[in-house]
Amino acid sequence: MNRKITIACVQQFSEAGEIRKNLDAYEKRFSELIKSRARIVILPELFSAGYIPNTTALGFAEKEDGPTIEWMRAQSLKHKLYIGGGIAVKQGGECYNRYYVTDPDGNIAGYAQKKNAESYCFKRGEGIHIIKTDIAILGIAICADSHISDIINKLKNSDAEVLLLPHAWPIPKENSSLPESDIVKQNEELKNYSGIIGRLTGKPVVFCNQLGDMKPMQGIMGKLMKPENFHLNGHSSIADADGNIKASTRSQNSVITAEIEIGGNDLKNRDTPAIPDYFGYTTPGSILLRRIIMPVDIFMGQREYNRKKTDYL
């Protein structure tokens, strides 16, 4: 039997390294949710520390009882909501890019773990992508993971009832020196991302993207993605299982909400296209970049991470 739930997405500028300041800014947005009747509130990837794609991010990693998760637990208990938020977590001498969900009783309901995490600052490896809650089974793909064909295919065929795609997605600025065709293509994908994944999987999708400045990225990819040419440009959206966008926003601090339908055999058994596979990704791209440059960069990043982690963790 189908069920309807209301989900909210909070899009807020995150200032890199300013955890307390960012938490206060997100907390102010919760006042906009009082009349929405939302049961689940989705925040972006690495929402509290901001997106820092280099080894200095290790300095902002928290334990599970650190300020961000304690804040999430308190907000869940206060507002009687499920809250999802992305955090850099240190555990067992490693740093992970995770997405935690807290429940209305103020407990941790579970976490997802980014498999294709930034290699210079996070431990890469097998991801965790499913969190079961009392109101819905959540399928979660953090940023880069949601662009990997195998991961999206597994989520499509899983018991997940709604997909959460928390992001910190660097997009070319419109006034950058990059080719105009690249700028247009990437921005159009950004604006329609929840609908794209919804149509491919036959599941409702929440795409929650961070707003912020692009910080220096290490390695080969860092030389290709100069901060002056990129930014985190928002455009969060919520789509239904047919890929119709039910709510969206642009490049400003905002809250969006939508009622979506989950569960039921008619949703599980609907016909959907095969998940595209372009050298392992759901969208076309350079074979040189994906088969040679990126694997070399990841290897270099893992070596640097292993050298630097003991200084921070």
Side-chain angles (χ1 to χ4, degrees), residues 39-41 64-66 68-85 87 99-111 131-134 138:
R39 302 288 306 282
I40 306 176
V41 177
E64 274 198 344
D65 59 355
T68 298
I69 296 179
E70 286 302 300
W71 176 87
M72 288 175 59
R73 293 176 65 182
Q75 294 301 312
S76 282
L77 182 61
K78 177 181 178 180
H79 298 287
K80 297 303 176 185
L81 295 167
Y82 284 92
I83 298 176
I87 308 162
Y99 197 80
Y100 280 79
V101 174
T102 51
D103 69 21
D105 292 324
N107 299 315
I108 296 173
Y111 67 82
I131 298 177
K132 294 183 178 180
T133 73
D134 290 340
L138 309 176

Side-chain angles (χ1 to χ4, degrees), residues 147 149 275-287 290-291:
H147 300 263
S149 301
I275 303 298
D277 190 342
Y278 300 94
F279 317 117
Y281 290 76
T282 57
T283 53
S286 165
I287 186 171
R290 292 176 174 179
R291 289 289 177 84

Side-chain angles (χ1 to χ4, degrees), residues 151-158 200-201 203 272-275:
I151 291 174
I152 291 299
N153 200 52
K154 286 180 179 177
L155 286 174
K156 176 180 180 176
N157 295 318
S158 74
L200 287 174
T201 60
K203 298 176 188 283
T272 53
I275 303 298

Side-chain angles (χ1 to χ4, degrees), residues 161-164 198 201-206 239-241 260-262 267:
E161 296 173 305
V162 57
L163 302 186
L164 311 182
T201 60
K203 298 176 188 283
V205 174
V206 183
D240 65 17
I260 58 172
E261 195 171 52
I262 64 173
L267 291 179

Side-chain angles (χ1 to χ4, degrees), residues 114-294:
K114 190 174 182 180
K115 180 178 181 180
N116 295 276
E118 294 77 355
S119 61
Y120 285 86
C121 41
F122 298 112
K123 175 74 173 177
R124 290 169 66 92
E126 191 58 40
I128 302 167
H129 300 290
I130 301 291
I131 298 177
K132 294 183 178 180
T133 73
D134 290 340
I135 60 172
I137 302 174
L138 309 176
I140 302 173
I142 304 170
C143 204
D145 281 0
S146 78
H147 300 263
I148 304 298
S149 301
D150 180 60
I151 291 174
I152 291 299
N153 200 52
K154 286 180 179 177
L155 286 174
K156 176 180 180 176
N157 295 318
S158 74
D159 291 333
E161 296 173 305
V162 57
L163 302 186
L164 311 182
L165 310 181
H167 272 64
W169 188 342
I171 287 290
K173 295 179 179 179
E174 292 185 2
N175 59 350
S176 73
S177 60
L178 298 173
E180 185 176 353
S181 59
D182 288 352
I183 296 171
V184 171
K185 180 181 177 182
Q186 291 192 46
N187 275 280
E188 283 304 307
E189 183 182 3
L190 176 79
K191 294 173 186 177
N192 296 292
Y193 199 58
S194 65
I196 292 169
I197 301 301
R199 283 188 290 275
L200 287 174
T201 60
K203 298 176 188 283
V205 174
V206 183
F207 166 62
C208 189
N209 194 24
Q210 195 180 126
L211 286 171
D213 299 322
M214 180 66 181
K215 297 302 178 184
M217 180 178 287
Q218 281 177 265
I220 302 171
M221 293 302 295
K223 294 178 180 178
L224 298 175
M225 298 180 66
K226 296 181 179 179
E228 60 267 26
N229 287 330
F230 290 82
H231 60 168
L232 309 177
N233 199 28
H235 285 280
S236 300
S237 59
I238 303 172
D240 65 17
D242 292 314
N244 301 310
I245 294 180
K246 309 289 286 183
S248 64
T249 187
R250 297 185 179 180
S251 302
Q252 68 274 345
N253 296 333
S254 52
V255 175
I256 58 173
T257 62
E259 185 180 67
I260 58 172
E261 195 171 52
I262 64 173
N265 290 329
D266 57 332
L267 291 179
K268 292 180 181 178
N269 299 326
R270 63 179 52 209
D271 291 329
T272 53
I275 303 298
D277 190 342
Y278 300 94
F279 317 117
Y281 290 76
T282 57
T283 53
S286 165
I287 186 171
L288 174 64
L289 185 71
R290 292 176 174 179
R291 289 289 177 84
I292 299 176
I293 295 175
M294 290 179 70

Side-chain angles (χ1 to χ4, degrees), residues 8-14 20-38 40-44 47 71 75 78-79 81 83 208-209 211 236 249-257:
C9 169
V10 181
Q11 179 178 284
Q12 174 71 37
F13 186 93
S14 291
R20 187 70 258 168
K21 184 177 180 179
N22 293 331
L23 292 178
D24 289 343
Y26 274 93
E27 187 167 344
K28 290 178 182 178
R29 293 285 160 193
F30 277 76
S31 64
E32 300 176 34
L33 298 169
I34 295 174
K35 296 181 181 179
S36 72
R37 297 185 180 180
I40 306 176
V41 177
I42 306 306
L43 311 179
F47 78 99
W71 176 87
Q75 294 301 312
K78 177 181 178 180
H79 298 287
L81 295 167
I83 298 176
C208 189
N209 194 24
L211 286 171
S236 300
T249 187
R250 297 185 179 180
S251 302
Q252 68 274 345
N253 296 333
S254 52
V255 175
I256 58 173
T257 62

